[in-house]
Amino acid sequence: MKAVLYMVVVHVIVAGMNILYKLSADGGRMSLRVLVAYRYMFGAAFLCPLAFFLERKTRTRLTCFILGQAFCCATFGASLNQNLYIAALKMTSATLAVAMTNLLPAFTFILAIMFRLERLEIRSSRSQSKVLGTAVGVCGAMLLTFYHGAKLQLWSFHTHLPHHHPNQHQSGNQVLGSMLAMANTLSYATWLIIQAKMSKRYPHPYSSSALLNLFAAIQSTCVAAITDWDPSAWELRWDVNLLTIIYTGILVSGLVVALMSWAIQMRGPLFVSAFNPLSLVIVAFFGSIFLDEALHLGRMEI
């Protein structure tokens, strides 16, 4: 049950991250690429000392191969993953962006078979259920992209930020945003596979998470420096952007990545990916309350 508890905590924290990301995307003054770079800087600053002291007696020697795996983990699980996600979030709602991540078990299952972390036996009921789940996940993602039913009203705290205009997404942008969210999910699934491979050679969750954050900070800073080179774009102030950076840097990049590394090591990448729908439920609920996002069900809107 420890791995189950870890994953529940992970998705409660991740749901908060999605709400803060959306508030920063619609109402913040800082570029989200800069925000992502700061996030991994804070994550590295938090985790590196922690990993040094907690695993200094048990940590195995770093090799070039492990460093290469850590660099790939940072690319697919952090810098590329997050930059695709924030691009999707600008074009669509937080709920729909998170809904696309329900493809994660499907993508992870396919990649796990390709990299021989899972065995596919067609006559086995277990394998048949996984194949059926993969197909249902893909169909569900397509349905959420192109189908809007009757609007479901929940109560709202009417959170308003400057330049925050909820639910004003053009249909073309929403489809493109959904495609970017799918690409983000594929990148995330790739990280789960690489992390599972890395955990066998380097079973130290704090140290591997610290390496991921360190490489991701370097990669994300390079991307943000190219696209947002103006020094004023990097200025930190007491606003929602700083709150998002601290929350995502310490809790998400720090605690969540370490907990997921533990869970992958204990139960494998497919187990970790199976919990992703939990984020959708939490984000849909809080997105409707705090972001005035519309929930739809029931009928087709042309």
Side-chain angles (χ1 to χ4, degrees), residues 88-272:
L89 203 59
K90 289 287 284 185
M91 297 181 185
T92 185
S93 68
T95 302
L96 184 57
V98 173
M100 290 299 104
T101 65
N102 282 343
L103 285 169
L104 184 62
F107 287 154
T108 306
F109 178 54
I110 293 168
L111 290 173
I113 292 172
M114 291 171 60
F115 288 94
R116 299 183 180 180
L117 293 175
E118 287 279 335
R119 293 180 62 186
L120 180 61
E121 299 174 355
I122 298 299
R123 296 187 179 183
S124 165
S125 58
R126 183 183 177 188
S127 293
Q128 289 172 357
S129 65
K130 288 179 179 179
V131 172
L132 179 61
T134 300
V136 170
V138 173
C139 292
M142 294 297 100
L143 191 67
L144 281 164
T145 304
F146 299 106
Y147 178 91
H148 283 180
K151 188 175 180 180
L152 178 65
Q153 289 284 359
L154 295 179
W155 65 89
S156 171
F157 287 120
H158 301 292
T159 304
H160 293 296
L161 290 174
H163 315 299
H164 175 59
H165 305 289
N167 300 315
Q168 295 180 3
H169 307 289
Q170 297 178 359
S171 58
N173 282 348
Q174 184 147 313
V175 172
L176 178 58
S178 299
M179 297 300 108
L180 289 171
M182 287 184 192
N184 151 72
T185 304
L186 179 59
S187 176
Y188 194 70
T190 305
W191 168 66
L192 289 176
I193 299 301
I194 300 171
Q195 183 65 48
K197 294 278 190 181
M198 182 178 174
S199 294
K200 293 179 180 178
R201 288 176 173 267
Y202 197 68
H204 311 293
Y206 287 117
S207 297
S208 61
S209 301
L211 285 171
L212 182 149
N213 276 273
L214 188 59
F215 281 128
I218 296 169
Q219 294 170 355
S220 300
T221 301
C222 289
V223 171
I226 293 170
T227 58
D228 300 276
W229 55 269
D230 187 354
S232 63
W234 295 77
E235 183 181 351
L236 290 175
R237 298 178 186 172
W238 292 101
D239 56 12
V240 68
N241 297 125
L242 183 59
L243 174 62
T244 304
I245 289 167
I246 295 171
Y247 183 94
T248 56
I250 295 176
L251 290 181
V252 182
S253 296
L255 181 60
V256 163
V257 172
L259 289 177
M260 290 185 70
S261 298
W262 265 325
I264 291 170
Q265 191 174 327
M266 285 189 285
R267 301 293 294 273
L270 199 57
F271 171 85
V272 171

